[in-house]
Structures are given as structure tokens and as C-alpha cells.
């Protein structure tokens, strides 16, 4: 086992969100407390966290649902002190094997137990923070924008002039996906609820559909790609909306199932794909510095901008997750930590 390097000095503890058991209600299982400041391994970086963010994955790890996540999150109780993943902050210390970063570097990316004043991570999980973004804006990017980038560019393989349908377009992943599809030259049809249509249109959607008033699959047009982020429609319906060689990328879709939670639809798409001319499937998003650097290029060029719905202090993390679960957000919900 690698020797861990003490980083705390005289400050041995830090403020952090603490979770000791699973539960679907954030107010019941999350609290703010004091934890030991993390030590790092020789190939790790310690980041003083200035901001983080929440997403649907946060809730899944917090609740331990569906049960399929528990081999990762912990079988009977959470393995980690809290379910945070996104970070933006300043490098506090580096292990002796780290050459790409130094104390004082301003970074963003992912880490485990990120709802805390300090988080340990690997150099291949972080990159230099885009200078035009605040810490809160930058912290909303890593997980959601990496998922959107991999869905739009790598899985849907969207090209200029193609017709693309994006469900859940006003959510955390959706707001990034709409902008990316537009940046790649696609004709974007975005699906959202009534209060969010103008916001989605402003992100670059060429056509918007209010799913509360009409069936978004009743439109006669056929799409070269469908990125299904928040849908629950069956594969048969989605396939009918695709061109004969179209691509369906399922990145979300929630059900109440405690075992699979909607992932059965994704598995069926993957199994069916070899037997049709259409490409049907899903993927597990990867978190890596190369993708972050690609996103930074797009952000610096003005092609990608985080949509921050609201910012909560770290002590109100449970309220931030509740706000997300209520379904009224447009874009992302950030968490802010003080500079000192």
C-alpha cells in the first residue's frame, strides 16, 4: 500500500458534509460536521475546495438507490463520508510524484467526498480552471458537462446539419448538451417544460417542445440522433423517431425501481442494437482531465457556458439537493465554500 502523506499540520480537521447511513431524504441523512482533513498519497493532489455542485448522481449515491450502485457506494452503508464529486478550488499540496500541478494552481474537476473544505484527488481528474468562470460556475461543469460531451460528440457522433432531439434539455446535463450540439452545427430540438422553454431556446435550440402540452415524439420529423436524458419512453417509440441509421444515446431516465431504477431500458437498448441498423445504447461517463481540457477550450471560445440555477452554502447541502429533487431548476445547483 502506498504511504500517505500528512497534509494537515496543525489544522487536523475540516468542515464537511457527513453521511453515515443511506436514505432518500437529504434532510434525514446529511449533516455538517468536522472530519479529519485528508492525507494524500504520493501521486495525489490536495485541493482547497471553493465550490462544488449537486446532480442526480449525488442523490443516487446518497440514497444507495437503485441497489445496483451499492457495489460502488457501499453495500450496507456509504463507504465515503459524503456523496460529493465536483470540485473547483486551489491546490493546497501535492504528492512527490505529481509534476503537473503545484500549490496555488486554480483547478476544477472531480474528487471523492467533495462536499468538504478539502478533497484529495488524482492529477488525471483535474485541469486548470477556465479563467472566465467563477468557482461556483466551474464546479457545475465536470460531471454534467463531461457526460454531455461524451453523449453528443463520442456516442451520438453529431455532425453539422444533422437533426438532433434532446430530452431533459433544461437539466444539468441537458443545458450542456444543447449548447454542444449547437456548437457542432446540429439542428437542435429541445424538450422541456413550459417555464424553461425560453431558457433552452437561448442556449441554441432551433426548436423547442413543451412536453407538458404535446407528445414530443408525435412530431413527424425524424432525427439523426436522440439524446434521451430525462425520458421514460419505450425503445419502440424512440426508434420510430430515428432515421434508419440514427443513433439513440440514453443517459438518464428515472423510475422508482429499487433494483435497476430505469437502467433496464438502457440494457435492453444495448442488447437490441446489434440486430438493427440503428445504433442504440448507453454509456458510463468517464471523468478525466483530457475531457476537462476539451471543455475548457469550448468555454474559453464562448461556445459553452454553465447555467447556474442557484448557489447554496455548504451547510445547506441538504436544501440544495431538495431543490434539485423538486424539479424546478434550470441548469445546475452549486455549493459555495468560503475562501478562508
Amino acid at each position: 500500500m502506498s504511504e500517505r502523506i500528512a497534509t494537515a499540520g496543525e489544522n487536523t480537521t475540516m468542515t464537511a458534509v457527513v453521511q453515515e447511513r443511506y436514505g432518500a431524504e437529504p434532510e434525514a441523512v446529511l449533516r455538517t460536521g468536522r472530519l479529519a482533513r485528508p492525507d494524500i498519497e504520493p501521486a495525489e493532489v490536495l485541493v482547497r475546495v471553493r465550490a462544488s455542485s449537486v446532480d442526480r448522481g449525488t442523490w443516487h449515491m446518497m440514497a444507495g438507490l437503485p441497489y445496483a450502485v451499492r457495489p460502488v457506494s457501499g453495500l450496507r452503508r456509504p463507504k465515503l463520508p459524503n456523496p460529493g464529486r465536483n470540485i473547483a478550488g486551489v491546490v493546497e499540496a501535492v504528492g512527490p510524484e505529481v509534476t503537473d500541478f503545484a500549490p496555488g494552481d486554480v483547478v476544477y474537476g472531480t474528487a471523492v467526498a467533495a462536499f468538504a473544505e478539502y478533497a484529495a484527488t488524482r492529477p488525471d481528474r483535474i485541469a486548470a480552471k477556465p479563467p472566465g468562470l467563477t468557482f461556483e460556475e466551474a464546479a457545475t461543469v465536470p460531471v454534467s458537462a463531461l457526460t454531455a460531451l461524451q453523449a453528443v460528440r463520442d456516442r451520438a457522433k453529431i455532425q453539422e446539419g444533422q437533426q438532433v432531439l434532446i430530452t431533459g434539455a433544461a437539466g444539468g446535463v441537458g443545458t450542456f448538451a444543447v449548447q454542444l450540439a449547437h456548437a457542432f452545427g446540429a439542428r437542435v430540438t429541445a424538450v422541456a417544460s413550459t417555464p424553461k422553454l425560453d431558457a433552452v431556446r437561448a442556449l441554441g435550440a432551433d426548436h423547442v417542445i413543451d412536453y407538458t402540452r404535446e407528445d414530443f415524439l408525435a412530431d413527424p420529423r425524424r432525427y439523426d440522433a436522440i439524446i434521451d436524458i430525462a425520458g421514460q419512453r419505450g425503445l419502440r417509440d424512440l426508434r420510430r423517431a430515428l432515421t434508419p441509421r440514427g443513433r439513440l444515446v440514453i443517459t438518464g431516465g428515472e423510475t422508482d425501481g429499487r433494483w435497476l431504477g430505469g437502467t433496464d431500458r438502457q440494457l435492453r437498448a444495448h442488447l437490441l442494437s446489434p440486430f438493427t441498423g440503428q445504433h442504440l445504447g448507453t454509456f458510463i461517463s468517464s471523468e478525466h482531465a483530457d475531457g476537462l481540457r476539451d471543455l475548457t477550450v469550448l468555454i474559453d471560445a464562448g461556445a459553452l457556458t454553465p447555467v447556474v440555477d442557484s448557489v447554496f452554502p455548504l451547510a445547506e447541502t441538504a436544501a440544495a439537493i431538495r431543490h434539485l429533487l423538486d424539479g424546478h431548476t434550470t441548469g445546475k445547483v452549486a455549493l459555495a465554500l468560503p475562501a478562508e
Side-chain angles (χ1 to χ4, degrees):
M1 180 180 294
S2 300
E3 180 182 357
R4 298 194 71 83
I5 301 162
T7 63
E10 295 181 358
N11 301 317
T12 58
T13 65
M14 64 178 181
T15 300
V17 172
V18 180
Q19 178 184 3
E20 296 164 337
R21 61 183 177 88
Y22 287 125
E25 306 301 327
E27 302 86 354
V29 296
L30 299 181
R31 62 179 177 86
T32 304
R34 302 291 297 180
L35 293 177
R37 181 170 153 178
D39 297 329
I40 56 174
E41 294 187 355
E44 287 185 329
V45 174
L46 183 72
V47 176
R48 172 66 187 257
V49 181
R50 291 290 308 278
S52 186
S53 63
V54 303
D55 50 45
R56 288 295 305 190
T58 305
W59 180 86
H60 287 297
M61 297 294 284
M62 180 195 78
L65 295 173
Y67 293 138
V69 307
R70 294 204 180 192
V72 175
S73 64
L75 294 178
R76 294 187 177 182
R77 60 181 59 86
K79 290 180 182 179
L80 298 171
N82 64 67
R85 296 289 296 170
N86 297 278
I87 57 169
V90 180
V91 173
E92 180 79 7
V94 300
E97 297 178 9
V98 175
T99 59
D100 295 336
F101 297 97
D105 288 347
V106 182
V107 298
Y108 77 139
T110 59
V112 297
F115 296 158
E117 289 182 297
Y118 295 91
T121 190
R122 301 200 311 260
D124 61 357
R125 296 290 183 93
I126 57 175
K129 181 182 78 68
L133 298 186
T134 66
F135 283 109
E136 291 80 11
E137 289 170 333
T140 69
V141 172
V143 170
S144 292
L146 283 172
T147 300
L149 180 67
Q150 290 162 39
V152 170
R153 183 189 66 184
D154 303 335
R155 299 294 172 164
K157 301 184 184 300
I158 288 175
Q159 300 176 19
E160 186 172 356
Q162 288 187 325
Q163 292 282 349
V164 179
L165 175 72
I166 299 175
T167 71
V173 175
T175 51
F176 288 118
V178 170
Q179 294 179 77
L180 289 168
H182 175 74
F184 295 156
R187 300 286 296 175
V188 181
T189 297
V191 181
S193 61
T194 309
K196 304 176 183 181
L197 297 180
D198 288 341
V200 172
R201 189 179 288 108
L203 296 175
D206 300 282
H207 181 59
V208 296
I209 297 176
D210 184 348
Y211 73 82
T212 69
R213 298 184 177 183
E214 58 182 306
D215 182 355
F216 63 87
L217 293 179
D219 194 304
R221 79 186 71 195
R222 294 294 173 261
Y223 300 96
D224 299 292
I226 296 176
I227 300 175
D228 191 31
I229 300 169
Q232 299 181 17
R233 297 297 291 270
L235 292 180
R236 181 178 300 178
D237 291 340
L238 292 168
R239 289 186 60 201
R240 279 200 296 263
L242 280 175
T243 61
R245 295 288 177 181
R247 290 177 171 267
L248 169 64
V249 181
I250 303 175
T251 68
E254 303 287 335
T255 71
D256 293 331
R258 299 182 72 84
W259 287 98
L260 295 176
T263 58
D264 54 315
R265 190 174 61 119
Q266 300 176 14
L267 294 172
R268 284 186 284 110
H270 182 73
L271 293 172
L272 179 62
S273 188
F275 303 101
T276 176
Q278 298 166 329
H279 187 279
L280 316 173
T282 186
F283 68 101
I284 297 175
S285 176
S286 58
E287 301 164 3
H288 51 78
D290 287 343
L292 290 169
R293 286 189 284 267
D294 289 343
L295 291 169
T296 296
V297 170
L298 291 161
I299 291 167
D300 289 344
L304 191 67
T305 302
V307 178
V308 180
D309 177 274
S310 49
V311 179
F312 289 76
L314 181 68
E316 297 179 16
T317 298
I321 297 174
R322 173 60 61 196
H323 183 59
L324 176 72
L325 295 176
D326 286 344
H328 303 308
T329 59
T330 299
K332 297 285 295 180
V333 179
L335 299 173
L337 287 84
E340 297 296 336

